[in-house]
Amino acid sequence: MLKSIKLKIARIIVNKKIKNDYKKQSYTNFLKNSVSFFILMPDNEIYFHHALSIINFFETLSKDITVFTKDFQVNLLPIKYRNHSINFTLEDITKLNLPTNEFGNKLKEYEFDLVLDLNKEENLFYSLIANLVRAQVRIGFKKNNSDKYYNLQIENSEDNPEIFYKNLLNCLQMF
């Protein structure tokens, strides 16, 4: 019950912090025209390893990638991206599982062309992070309240993590 109350309070806080001022825009060639990417690695460790294929895909496109992950997972990233990462510790998370004000203010200084949240399940911490940085396009998976957090949502009901991210790659390649 306490967890449910904390989640409701966190949703209220997130909804107040997020500005849904998405402008109508064409998504034709947005991937090709975007230069800087902010990739939020999944919170789930099994999915994390399979999500590395997404980073490899963007590397083949010669994109400027910044990866967001837990501090202890930085060593699991390809060497090239370890210095191009923003990581967080437990000290950066409040009791409501949201970013602290200090950490949130730090993230507001960053600007990217595209934010990609690789979390399959709803995670308010990552959803808020995706909206704290400045970006034209925010991509996430269809989940609870995702209309509020992302201006492009991808439906993917696959449970196998490897196939899940292959489906995402196929979808991204259309753009």
Side-chain angles (χ1 to χ4, degrees):
M1 182 170 157
L2 183 60
K3 188 175 184 179
S4 173
I5 293 170
K6 284 174 63 175
L7 182 61
K8 287 179 183 179
I9 293 170
R11 278 198 179 118
I12 291 169
I13 292 170
V14 169
N15 289 337
K16 286 183 179 182
K17 289 186 177 195
I18 292 178
K19 299 173 188 153
N20 287 10
D21 57 350
Y22 296 129
K23 300 173 188 166
K24 287 186 178 182
Q25 61 185 26
S26 170
Y27 292 107
T28 306
N29 294 326
F30 80 90
L31 192 63
K32 185 187 228 185
N33 296 335
S34 297
V35 177
S36 59
F37 289 71
F38 187 49
I39 300 177
L40 284 66
M41 294 300 287
D43 190 41
N44 181 313
E45 292 196 30
I46 295 169
Y47 279 77
F48 181 94
H49 295 290
H50 292 286
L52 292 172
S53 64
I54 304 299
I55 294 174
N56 294 332
F57 167 71
F58 287 124
E59 182 177 6
T60 63
L61 299 177
S62 300
K63 301 296 182 179
D64 180 24
I65 301 170
T66 302
V67 180
F68 182 81
T69 190
K70 298 173 186 173
D71 61 342
F72 62 88
Q73 291 178 322
V74 171
N75 290 333
L76 301 175
L77 296 173
I79 294 171
K80 179 178 182 178
Y81 296 107
R82 291 180 188 168
N83 290 334
H84 296 278
S85 68
I86 299 172
N87 54 62
F88 65 95
T89 65
L90 292 176
E91 294 174 0
D92 297 318
I93 303 173
T94 66
K95 291 181 181 179
L96 293 173
N97 292 323
L98 297 175
T100 62
N101 286 333
E102 299 82 27
F103 190 58
N105 290 335
K106 175 183 164 188
L107 290 170
K108 288 178 184 178
E109 297 174 8
Y110 291 96
E111 184 171 0
F112 301 96
D113 294 329
L114 185 141
V115 174
L116 178 59
D117 182 356
L118 296 178
N119 285 283
K120 180 181 180 182
E121 303 297 325
E122 180 185 22
N123 186 320
L124 287 176
F125 178 80
Y126 285 90
S127 297
L128 182 54
I129 296 296
N131 283 272
L132 288 176
V133 298
R134 291 174 284 161
Q136 294 175 357
V137 178
R138 289 180 177 81
I139 302 173
F141 294 105
K142 183 99 172 120
K143 47 195 166 195
N144 291 340
N145 299 310
S146 58
D147 291 341
K148 297 176 184 177
Y149 312 130
Y150 312 107
N151 52 356
L152 181 60
Q153 300 170 53
I154 298 170
E155 179 74 43
N156 194 344
S157 58
E158 179 60 50
D159 288 330
N160 180 325
E162 183 177 2
I163 296 172
F164 181 81
Y165 289 111
K166 282 184 181 178
N167 289 345
L168 172 61
L169 283 174
N170 291 335
C171 180
L172 292 174
Q173 288 172 347
M174 292 189 302
F175 298 101

